[in-house]
């Protein structure tokens, strides 16, 4: 009787351990088979057409849940940005509704007769508005999960662009014996396997005006490039300055060497 009870208990513990192990499945390493124009140490640069496509993916897909609160509309037409003209950036800004502040126009009335917050069209000086009024509203709309802000997401995750790209393309059917928790989705690149975000991209979910491919991986690559720019908008200027400093130091080293030879060439 004791032997049977012991065997039963051991089997139960083994099955429980297996279930727990499956539920907290270790993440696959991020993909490294993707090339990025901005990853070259010295000559890395942003592809303007790709940044504009990535912005379109963010606007049409990601912005429904994720904020971009460190970016202002005027960043879109700055040097080193996605390459929009000032008029284009103004049009993009005007398409957003920004909560209004007390002023002479609204006479301090921040809510209309229906109780809704008074808004105005965005301007270049505004930041991208958040999709939810506050954290509680965001969690209520996402089964308790809080969608992260994407302004620094590429810099904030180990693996950088490769990790974010992997997450966007890593949704799949769960393996056998793996339990997908309620209101979760299986993603092989997410630690634990269970992720709160549903698959955001589908083939053809965004139509690009330049006719570029809009398969899931293409959309993911474009939006990751845009988020890389959002995380480091001054990257190109930094690399240009670094290259200039290196050239200056090389020229200075050459001049110092020639000066040394000129002064000390006849000294023994």
């Amino acid at each position: 009787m004791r032997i049977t009870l012991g065997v039963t208990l051991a089997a139960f513990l083994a099955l429980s351990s297996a279930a727990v192990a499956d539920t907290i499945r270790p993440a696959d390493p991020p993909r490294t088979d993707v090339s990025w124009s901005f990853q070259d140490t010295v000559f890395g640069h942003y592809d303007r057409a790709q940044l504009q496509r990535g912005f379109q993916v963010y606007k049409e897909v990601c912005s429904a849940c994720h904020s971009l609160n460190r970016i202002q509309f005027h960043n879109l037409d700055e040097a080193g940005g996605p390459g929009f003209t000032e008029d284009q950036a103004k049009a993009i800004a005007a398409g957003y509704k920004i909560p209004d502040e007390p002023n002479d126009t609204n006479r301090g009335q921040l809510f209309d007769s229906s109780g809704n917050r008074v808004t105005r069209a965005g301007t270049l000086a505004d930041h991208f508005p958040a999709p939810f009024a506050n954290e509680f509203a965001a969690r209520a709309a996402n089964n308790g999960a809080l969608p992260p802000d994407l302004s620094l997401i590429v810099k904030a995750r180990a693996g950088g662009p490769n990790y974010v790209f992997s997450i966007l393309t890593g949704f799949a059917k769960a393996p056998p014996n793996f339990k997908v928790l309620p209101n979760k989705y299986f993603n092989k690149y997410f630690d634990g396997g269970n992720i709160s975000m549903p698959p955001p991209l589908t083939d053809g979910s965004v139509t690009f005006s330049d006719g570029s491919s809009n398969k899931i991986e293409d959309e993911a690559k474009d939006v990751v490039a845009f988020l890389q720019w959002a995380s480091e908008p001054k990257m190109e200027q930094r690399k240009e300055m670094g290259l200039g400093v290196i050239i200056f130091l090389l020229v200075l080293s050459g001049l110092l060497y020639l000066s040394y030879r000129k002064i000390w060439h006849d000294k023994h």
Side-chain angles (χ1 to χ4, degrees), residues 64-65 67 99 111 117 129-142 146:
C65 296
S67 58
F111 297 90
R117 181 68 185 270
F132 303 104
N134 50 52
E135 177 181 336
F136 302 104
R139 290 187 182 278
N142 291 278
L146 180 64

Side-chain angles (χ1 to χ4, degrees), residues 66-265:
H66 296 276
S67 58
L68 197 70
N69 59 28
R70 291 178 180 270
I71 300 298
Q72 294 175 272
F73 291 108
H74 72 79
N75 296 136
L76 298 177
D77 71 320
E78 286 183 338
F84 291 108
T85 65
E86 183 177 350
D87 288 340
Q88 288 174 323
K90 286 181 177 179
I92 291 171
Y96 285 81
K97 298 300 182 182
I98 309 297
D100 208 359
E101 299 298 331
N103 54 54
D104 293 337
T105 302
N106 59 38
R107 298 183 179 181
Q109 300 297 317
L110 299 185
F111 297 90
D112 60 22
S113 58
S114 301
N116 298 316
R117 181 68 185 270
V118 174
T119 60
R120 58 172 175 78
T123 67
L124 292 180
D126 290 314
H127 287 79
F128 278 80
F132 303 104
N134 50 52
E135 177 181 336
F136 302 104
R139 290 187 182 278
N142 291 278
N143 296 308
L146 180 64
D149 177 74
L150 298 184
S151 302
L152 299 174
I153 194 69
V154 173
K155 289 292 186 181
R157 297 294 185 268
N162 289 332
Y163 174 78
V164 179
F165 176 82
S166 298
I167 290 293
L168 291 175
T169 59
F171 293 90
K173 183 179 180 180
N177 302 322
F178 180 85
K179 182 180 180 181
V180 179
L181 301 177
N183 299 318
K184 302 289 183 180
Y185 304 85
F186 175 71
N187 191 302
K188 58 186 176 180
Y189 297 107
F190 189 76
D191 194 22
N194 282 289
I195 189 171
S196 298
M197 179 176 67
L201 302 176
T202 57
D203 288 337
S205 59
V206 177
T207 301
F208 300 119
S209 59
D210 62 1
S212 294
S213 174
N214 56 0
K215 299 295 185 182
I216 289 179
E217 292 207 354
D218 300 311
E219 294 173 349
K221 189 172 182 180
D222 290 341
V223 75
V224 169
F226 173 74
L227 295 177
Q228 168 69 32
W229 167 80
S231 295
E232 197 173 7
K234 302 297 183 182
M235 180 204 72
E236 290 178 330
Q237 293 92 319
R238 175 176 57 80
K239 289 188 176 183
E240 289 174 2
M241 181 179 292
L243 181 60
V245 170
I246 291 174
I247 294 174
F248 170 77
L249 291 175
L250 290 175
V251 172
L252 179 61
S253 297
L255 292 175
L256 290 174
Y257 176 74
L258 293 175
S259 299
Y260 165 79
R261 292 294 304 271
K262 178 68 175 178
I263 295 172
W264 297 97
H265 75 281

Side-chain angles (χ1 to χ4, degrees), residues 15-35:
L15 290 173
S16 299
S17 299
V20 171
D22 285 338
T23 304
I24 56 173
R25 176 185 183 276
D28 288 357
R31 294 175 56 176
T32 57
D33 59 334
V34 184
S35 60

